[in-house]
Amino acid sequence: MKKGFLWGAKIVVLILLISSIYLSYTQSNDPYRFFTGLGSEISISPNDDRFLFSYYKDGNEQVYRSSISGKDVQQLTTSSETRSHTPRYSSDGKRILFLTKKPGVDEPNVLNVANADGQSLQKISDDSLHVTDAVFSTNSQQIYFIGMPASDLGKLEGTEEGGNNLYAADVQTGKVKQLTKKDYFVMSDLAIDDEKVYYKIPNDQDYSDELYEYDIKTKKEQAVTQLKLPGDMYETTFSPTGNQVAYTAVSQESENSSLYEYELFLFDVQSNNTEQLTTLKSSVNSPVFFHKRNKVAFLHDTAWAAQPEEYKLKTIDLKTKEIQEVELAIPKDANNEVLSSLVGYIGNVYTIALLYVVLLSLFTYSFRKDKPYLIPIISLSIAIVGVIASFVTAAVFDPWAGIGIGTLSISIAACSIILFLVAFFIKQVTTKRNHSL
């Protein structure tokens, strides 16, 4: 192999390796940067004639609506700087709310409201609050939402005074008022009726979720004792009559496995009976009751537990238990899909490992006459030092950082073993060639 060709190959592989590492790094910080597909929340109009959802196109998440059959898709929000997500219909169907967020880990969610067609956009909260969930009141004149100081984003429990609280905003004036001052570390799953706002918070004793209510008239907050919900419920949503609760939970079959599977369940308030509705063996998200039909819509993550998630919109008939997929008629750009897939392959950890082995194999070939095992030894030494450093980092500084260093070091060690095999093969071929000469 000529030296010029060998050096050219090294440079090309090195460039590819650096590009692959860069794309992997940017994707780890933002897995949705080049993603095209459904977002994680859906809503159904009061007349059961439309779906409201968010959708990514090349990393740009915006709010869309469609007919209940998935046709007549219309984009309602347009922004190149923020992602729009978590949409909700008002009780009268005339307005929608949604959250916007700049791409980035610690950027806050901002609450917005607009007409049902996306027009007359109004910002309700500002960058000082991070909003996690929001619902319209039953008369559509108020918005109740969970928020926390944006400065507390990414901070551990107990390190700051701020936390999650319940807020209310007037739809007409946009005036925001804080209703609670408990600073909960976690609040989730807002629901509402004519008199009360409901939400879940973790129990301080066993960290199981507990249902709380805020009385709109008396302005008092208390635990809901008359309703005993099953433990370990996620994405809880009440039926329009309040007699049923749909939620996701870990299936019994996967409780002892290395990967939990989240199925859809239905709880009957009057009989206290729980029924498992799905056996999809993956993850179910965002269950929503139809208003006038005996159905529940939900998102099925077909790529569980990878990121970004690949959701399919589905419905289940609560009587027949028949599951149907709703095909959303969103125009697709074939060129962008190819580019997104290519970026995904290049930024894959397996691609990085392959390029690492190829690059060091080329250098091993260069030392084939005198020191064929030099490069594998250096690579393995780096891996050993990395493993030692991972234990030190985990013990002294940050356990998660230590785990990350350890995982990387083990991967380098695995590549080093392959390099030793490559070096052995190169040495054998070189020896035979020298003997033949």
Side-chain angles (χ1 to χ4, degrees), residues 348-409:
N348 191 291
V349 292
Y350 298 107
T351 303
I352 294 175
L354 176 62
L355 291 171
Y356 178 83
V357 170
V358 171
L359 178 63
L360 295 195
S361 295
L362 292 173
F363 278 99
T364 300
Y365 183 81
S366 298
F367 291 94
R368 65 190 182 279
K369 294 181 179 179
D370 301 323
K371 301 176 181 179
Y373 294 106
L374 176 62
I375 300 300
I377 290 173
I378 292 175
S379 178
L380 184 60
S381 299
I382 293 173
I384 294 173
V385 171
V387 170
I388 297 172
S390 70
F391 283 103
V392 175
T393 302
V396 179
F397 300 104
D398 184 355
W400 290 109
I403 292 173
I405 295 172
T407 302
L408 176 62
S409 301

Side-chain angles (χ1 to χ4, degrees), residues 26 67 72 113 151 181 213 247 266 297 338 343 384 398 419 434:
T26 56
S67 66
D72 188 26
V113 66
S151 57
K181 296 182 179 180
E213 64 183 20
Y247 64 95
L266 186 69
V338 170
V343 168
I384 294 173
D398 184 355
L419 286 170
N434 290 336

Side-chain angles (χ1 to χ4, degrees), residues 259-314:
L259 180 63
Y260 287 159
E261 296 168 351
Y262 293 84
E263 302 289 354
L264 181 63
F265 292 81
L266 186 69
F267 174 74
D268 188 276
V269 174
Q270 295 178 338
S271 65
N272 287 332
N273 290 330
T274 299
E275 180 182 10
Q276 182 174 332
L277 299 178
T278 63
T279 53
L280 297 171
K281 298 186 180 299
S282 54
S283 180
V284 171
N285 291 69
S286 188
V288 180
F289 282 94
F290 281 74
H291 300 274
K292 299 179 180 181
R293 308 182 193 183
N294 195 29
K295 287 185 175 183
V296 171
F298 62 92
L299 295 176
H300 173 206
D301 183 3
T302 59
W304 174 249
Q307 278 192 314
E309 299 86 351
E310 296 182 11
Y311 290 116
K312 299 290 186 182
L313 175 57
K314 296 185 177 182

Side-chain angles (χ1 to χ4, degrees), residues 182-246:
K182 296 296 183 65
D183 296 336
Y184 294 115
F185 183 57
V186 176
M187 291 178 72
S188 62
D189 297 349
L190 274 181
I192 195 167
D193 59 25
D194 292 335
E195 300 176 348
K196 298 174 182 178
V197 183
Y198 301 92
Y199 43 90
K200 292 194 309 182
I201 64 169
N203 187 297
D204 291 334
Q205 296 180 348
D206 59 7
Y207 297 101
S208 62
D209 287 332
E210 192 171 1
L211 187 65
Y212 268 65
E213 64 183 20
Y214 177 86
D215 192 295
I216 298 173
K217 182 178 291 186
T218 65
K219 298 180 174 54
K220 291 184 178 180
E221 179 191 34
Q222 63 181 8
V224 179
T225 57
Q226 68 273 21
L227 178 60
K228 294 296 183 182
L229 297 175
D232 297 327
M233 302 171 66
Y234 306 94
E235 310 223 20
T236 308
T237 182
F238 286 84
S239 65
T241 60
N243 293 327
Q244 293 176 310
V245 180

